Amino acid sequence: MNIQRFLPRDRLQTLIDQLMSAGYDVIGPQVRDHAIIFDHLAGVDQLPIGITDEQAPGRYRLEKSDSVRCFDWATGPQALKPMTFVSRETLWRSDRRPDGSLAFREEPMATRPTAIIGIRACDLAALSIHDRHFMHGAHPDPQYSQRRQSLFLVAVNCMRSAATCFCTATGDGPRARSGYDLSLSELDEGFILEVHTERGRDVVVRLDVTEATSAQIERANAGIEQAAKQQQRTLPAGPLQDKLVTAVEHPHWKTLDDRCLSCGNCTAVCPTCFCQTHGDEISLDGRQTSHVRQWESCFNPDHSYIHGIVIRAERPQRYRQWLTHKFGTWEEQFGRSGCVGCGRCIAWCPVGIDVTEELAALLIEPGIEPGIEPPAEQPKGKSDGQSGGVAHHE
Amino acid sequence: MNNALMPHEAEVVERHDETPDLFSLQLRFTDPVIQSQFEFAPGQFNMLYLPGVGEVPISIVSDPEDSHVINHTIRRVGSVTDNLGKLQVGDRLGLRGPYGRGWPVVEAEGTDLVIVTGGLGCAPSVSFIEYALRRQARYGRIQIIQGVKHAHDFIWRERYDQWRQYPNVEVWLTADTGDTLWPGRVGPVTQFFDQLKIEPKQTSVIMCGPEGMMNAVVRDMRQRAVPDTQIWLSMERNMHCALGSCGRCQLGAKFVCRDGPVFNYAELAPYWGHKGV
C-alpha cells in the first residue's frame, strides 16, 4: 500500500483528533526536563515546535529555532522501548494460604489501543528486533505482546540527523521502511502522509487531505536525502560477529577501564537492549509476593553473578560483553546487528564513549593508538590497566 | 496467552541429606495433570521457586521414565538454595520446566562414553549415567571419572559401587583433598586419562563441573583426537527466565538456558578459555 496525501500544517490537530475518535490514546513527542520524551498528547501545541536537538558524545541539548516544524529533531533519550518492554512490571503473584499451599495467579493487564506519533526509522527497526525477541520465539511474552498489539504507529521520516546519528551505516534509516501504519514527511507548509496499512487508511480517509504534488514529494525526498548526507559516523563493514569474537583479547579493551563508568546509561537508552532482572516483592505479612521484572544492564556485576562468582567482574569485560553482543553475536541470534544507528549510547554516555570509534579501534585500525600494540606483538611490555591505559609508555 | 514464567505449585515428596552441603528433594506437581504431562530429557533443568526468596535453575537427576516424582540434588550456595534446604516433606514450592537442551543421549548412541564430572557437577551427570546404564545396549564401554573438592562431598557412594557391577563399566574416584576413609585417589581428574581406553572417533566425552576442570579435560581429549563435536559440556550461567529472554545467561551468541546448558565443544570453541566472556 503506497498512498501519499498532503496534510496542511494547520490540520495536524485533526490527525490527533481522528486517532482519538477511533479509540486510541494518543502519545507523541514533547519537551520535558530539557529533553524530548514521549507522553500523552492532546494538542499539537504540546509538540516540540521550533525545537531542535544538538547531540555529541556525552552531550544532548535542545535549542530553539525559528522553524515552524514539530519534528525538526533527531532522537530523544527514549521512544518506544518503555511502552512495550516496560522498565518495571509485575509478571505474576503468589499467595500462601493458611494451610501452607501456594496459589499462583497471572497479573491482569489493562491495555488500551494506543497511537504513537513521531516514531523514527531507527526505533521502528529496534521494535522489529524486540518483536522477534519477545513475541516470535517459542514462549511469546504475554505482557510485551499485549502492549505491542495495541499500538498504532505514525512514523516520521527524518529530515535532519544529529551528529550522533548513523542509521545509514546500519541500513535502518533515515526513511521509515516498514512496521508502521502511517508515516509523515514534514515540510514547512505541512506533511506528506503515507499510508502503509488498512487501518492507517481508515484514519486518513477521515482527514481533509489533498493529493501530494510531485514537487512536494521531491522536496520531502530531498530532505530525507539531506538527513542521510549529514551523517558522518560509519561502522566497519559487516558482518562483525567473527571479527569481534576473535578480538576478545585485543589490548584496546583494557583502555575502557579508564573510561567506562559501567553506569549502564547506554543500555538504558539503547532501543534494542532487552536484559532483565526478575525478583520478588513481598507483603509485610509474608503471605503474598509479586514477581517483578525490571530492566537490567550487563554493566551491573550482578548480571553475571553465579554462586559466589561474578563472571564479568571487570568493567572492560562488561563493556566487551555489551559491544560484542550488540554488534557481533547479535547477528547469530537475530540475523542482523543489534545496533540501529540511533546514536543514543554516544550522546547519553556521561564520558562520551563512542561505539563507532571503539569498533574502529578494535576492528579497522588495530594497534595504532599510542601505547597500544596489536595482540601478536603485545607480550614484552606489561599492559596494566592502572597506569593510564591509552597513554602508558614503553 | 500462557505466562510461561509463572510457576506451578509442587510439593516435597521426599528429602534426603547427602552431605552437610548437599541435599536431594523429590518433588511432584500438586496438579496431577501437570505432573502427568511433565516430560524431560537427562541434562535438562527446572526453575525452583520459593516465595519471597527467589528462583533458581536446578538440574533434574531422576530418570525420564520415572513419571511419579522429579528429583533434584542441590548444593547450598546462596539464599534460595539455603532455604530450599530447609524444606520438609509436604512443604510447597513453585516449579516450572523442564528447560534447555540436555545430554546427547541420541547423538552418543553407538559410542563409548567417557563421563568426567567435578564437584557439584556430579548431580547433572548422574542423570545421564543412570540413563545410559539402563539402556546399555545403546552405548559401548562406559568410563566414569568423578572428581570432587573434598572426600566428604561424595554422594551416592553406594551408587558408584552399583555402577561398577555393570559389565563394561569402570569408575574412578578422586578428591582434591582426601581423608582417611577415602577409597579413591587424591588429585585432578586428568590423572586417570592415561588409563582410559579411548578410540577417539568412537568416543563421546560427557562432562560437567568447574570450567577450569572442563578446560583441562577438553585440552586432553582434543589432544587424543576426540572430535570437537563429541566433547560435551554442561554449562552454568546466571538465569532469571530460563526462556532465552532475560539475556543474563549469554555465553557468546548462545543463551545457555535455551541453546544449552549442554553444548558440544565445537559450539563453544570461539568463546572458550577467555576470562570474563
Side-chain angles (χ1 to χ4, degrees):
Chain A
M1 198 173 298
N2 190 5
I3 306 164
Q4 295 188 323
R5 294 286 183 273
F6 177 71
L7 179 71
R9 178 164 299 283
D10 59 8
R11 285 182 218 150
L12 181 59
Q13 180 67 42
T14 62
L15 173 62
I16 298 173
D17 295 342
Q18 278 307 327
L19 287 166
M20 283 178 169
S21 62
Y24 293 104
D25 284 354
V26 178
I27 284 179
Q30 46 213 280
V31 175
R32 185 178 303 159
D33 300 332
H34 311 288
I36 288 173
I37 55 98
F38 282 76
D39 205 345
H40 287 276
L41 190 71
V44 289
D45 53 337
Q46 290 170 269
L47 291 167
I49 299 165
I51 298 289
T52 193
D53 52 357
E54 191 226 319
Q55 301 193 47
R59 183 178 171 83
Y60 176 93
R61 296 286 185 279
L62 295 184
E63 311 275 356
K64 273 203 176 310
S65 74
D66 49 12
S67 167
V68 295
R69 298 193 183 191
C70 344
F71 300 106
D72 198 27
W73 44 274
T75 52
Q78 293 182 328
L80 283 170
K81 182 165 94 167
M83 288 177 248
T84 46
F85 170 39
V86 303
S87 59
R88 185 175 170 82
E89 65 181 320
T90 297
L91 298 174
W92 46 264
R93 294 174 193 274
S94 77
D95 293 284
R96 190 177 285 285
R97 302 194 193 93
D99 67 356
S101 66
L102 291 173
F104 295 96
R105 56 193 160 90
E106 299 197 35
E107 179 73 352
M109 279 182 69
T111 314
R112 289 188 37 76
T114 303
I116 306 177
I117 297 177
I119 294 302
R120 306 291 179 169
C122 52
D123 290 318
L124 288 170
L127 183 69
S128 124
I129 289 173
H130 270 197
D131 285 353
R132 178 167 167 165
H133 184 69
F134 288 107
M135 274 202 314
H136 300 148
H139 305 280
D141 187 281
Q143 277 80 5
Y144 180 93
S145 304
Q146 192 172 325
R147 290 198 184 90
R148 173 68 179 95
Q149 282 153 4
S150 72
L151 295 186
F152 181 104
L153 296 174
V154 182
V156 174
N157 292 317
C158 291
M159 302 279 182
R160 187 187 154 278
S161 289
T164 43
C165 292
F166 57 100
C167 62
T168 54
T170 64
D172 294 306
R175 182 193 291 276
R177 290 202 176 81
S178 61
Y180 57 91
D181 297 287
L182 298 174
S183 76
L184 302 173
S185 298
E186 187 172 29
L187 304 169
D188 282 347
E189 71 269 31
F191 303 85
I192 294 172
L193 256 173
E194 211 170 302
V195 175
H196 260 246
T197 59
E198 286 290 335
R199 59 183 192 165
R201 195 186 57 181
D202 294 344
V203 170
V204 171
V205 293
R206 294 191 176 80
L207 298 174
D208 189 6
V209 289
T210 59
E211 202 72 32
T213 68
S214 54
Q216 284 173 323
I217 292 170
E218 260 173 49
R219 270 192 288 136
N221 288 341
I224 298 166
E225 188 60 28
Q226 172 189 292
K229 281 188 183 141
Q230 284 169 349
Q231 297 186 13
Q232 300 297 314
R233 287 181 158 75
T234 59
L235 290 172
L240 299 181
Q241 175 164 334
D242 288 348
K243 293 178 188 171
L244 277 166
V245 169
T246 310
V248 59
E249 303 291 356
H250 196 295
H252 182 77
W253 295 116
K254 281 206 171 68
T255 69
L256 270 307
D257 207 19
D258 300 313
R259 295 179 289 141
C260 177
L261 308 176
S262 206
C263 68
N265 259 19
C266 48
T267 59
V269 298
C270 177
T272 69
C273 273
F274 56 73
C275 281
Q276 308 149 34
T277 283
H278 298 203
D280 274 1
E281 280 175 358
I282 189 162
S283 64
L284 281 176
D285 66 3
R287 294 196 171 278
Q288 275 133 29
T289 64
S290 308
H291 202 64
V292 176
R293 159 168 71 191
Q294 63 182 32
W295 289 0
E296 171 62 296
S297 170
C298 54
F299 285 90
N300 291 334
D302 184 62
H303 185 275
S304 64
Y305 173 88
I306 181 161
H307 48 70
I309 306 161
V310 174
I311 297 205
R312 292 182 281 274
E314 295 164 20
R315 277 183 313 234
Q317 294 169 343
R318 300 201 283 272
Y319 189 86
R320 182 178 68 188
Q321 166 63 20
W322 182 68
L323 198 75
T324 304
H325 181 218
K326 189 67 62 186
F327 289 89
T329 51
W330 205 288
E331 290 170 356
E332 183 176 323
Q333 296 171 350
F334 294 89
R336 59 155 294 167
S337 158
C339 178
V340 295
C342 71
R344 289 185 176 98
C345 58
I346 303 173
W348 293 93
C349 175
V351 294
I353 297 173
D354 179 340
V355 285
T356 65
E357 287 179 8
E358 301 308 311
L359 287 168
L362 286 157
L363 302 179
I364 297 177
E365 306 164 290
I368 64 158
E369 288 159 279
I372 302 294
E373 294 186 355
E377 298 164 41
Q378 189 199 9
K380 57 180 190 255
K382 89 178 165 83
S383 61
D384 63 11
Q386 294 168 3
S387 68
V390 175
H392 69 78
H393 307 291
E394 305 218 345
Chain B
M1 194 180 294
N2 247 348
N3 195 334
L5 290 165
M6 192 172 76
H8 299 284
E9 188 195 42
E11 66 179 321
V12 178
V13 181
E14 216 179 297
R15 64 157 294 148
H16 183 60
D17 287 292
E18 313 279 0
T19 74
D21 284 346
L22 273 171
F23 58 96
S24 293
L25 296 178
Q26 295 203 344
L27 306 178
R28 184 167 57 204
F29 287 106
T30 52
D31 182 336
V33 176
I34 295 173
Q35 179 64 37
S36 70
Q37 288 169 349
F38 184 84
E39 287 180 5
F40 70 96
Q44 285 193 297
F45 65 94
N46 281 330
M47 295 296 281
L48 275 60
Y49 169 74
L50 282 176
V53 187
E55 203 176 25
V56 284
I58 305 283
S59 175
I60 308 168
V61 294
S62 36
D63 191 276
E65 279 172 27
D66 181 358
S67 57
H68 304 293
V69 289
I70 305 156
N71 199 357
H72 293 281
T73 297
I74 305 165
R75 183 186 289 273
R76 294 172 214 264
V77 288
S79 58
V80 183
T81 46
D82 259 351
N83 282 281
L84 285 169
K86 294 175 189 159
L87 293 181
Q88 299 301 321
V89 171
D91 283 350
R92 307 296 172 95
L93 71 162
L95 186 65
R96 60 187 176 96
Y99 296 114
R101 183 181 68 168
W103 294 113
V105 290
V106 175
E107 294 90 330
E109 280 185 12
T111 66
D112 294 338
L113 303 179
V114 172
I115 302 173
V116 189
T117 66
L120 180 64
C122 53
S125 61
V126 162
S127 63
F128 191 23
I129 295 170
E130 296 271 344
Y131 181 94
L133 291 176
R134 286 178 199 174
R135 299 153 183 87
Q136 222 182 339
R138 298 184 198 170
Y139 305 99
R141 175 187 292 121
I142 300 178
Q143 300 173 94
I144 300 165
I145 301 121
Q146 170 71 70
V148 288
K149 215 171 206 169
H150 306 287
H152 67 248
D153 278 355
F154 265 99
I155 59 171
W156 300 303
R157 286 202 191 191
E158 68 278 17
R159 282 210 219 181
Y160 290 104
D161 292 335
Q162 281 171 25
W163 294 345
R164 285 199 178 92
Q165 308 305 312
Y166 284 84
N168 258 342
V169 174
E170 288 170 85
V171 180
W172 284 277
L173 307 177
T174 184
D176 288 348
T177 313
D179 66 29
T180 45
L181 296 174
W182 177 237
R185 300 212 194 179
V186 176
V189 292
T190 44
Q191 67 182 305
F192 298 111
F193 285 8
D194 280 334
Q195 296 170 45
L196 296 176
K197 296 169 196 77
I198 295 180
E199 292 171 59
K201 304 283 180 252
Q202 277 306 306
T203 297
S204 298
V205 180
I206 304 294
M207 69 182 111
C208 64
E211 286 182 29
M213 179 217 83
M214 293 202 287
N215 197 25
V217 179
V218 164
R219 240 190 343 248
D220 189 284
M221 291 298 162
R222 295 187 78 219
Q223 272 166 14
R224 290 168 202 268
V226 176
D228 289 352
T229 52
Q230 288 166 221
I231 300 174
W232 299 87
L233 310 90
S234 182
M235 301 301 296
E236 282 188 284
R237 283 294 183 271
N238 184 309
M239 291 176 193
H240 281 201
C241 75
L243 305 174
S245 176
C246 78
R248 307 180 72 120
C249 68
Q250 287 177 86
L251 173 53
K254 309 296 182 193
F255 289 90
V256 172
C257 72
R258 184 192 67 195
D259 305 326
V262 174
F263 296 93
N264 67 49
Y265 177 70
E267 296 169 310
L268 297 183
Y271 320 113
W272 191 254
H274 301 287
K275 199 164 173 266
V277 167

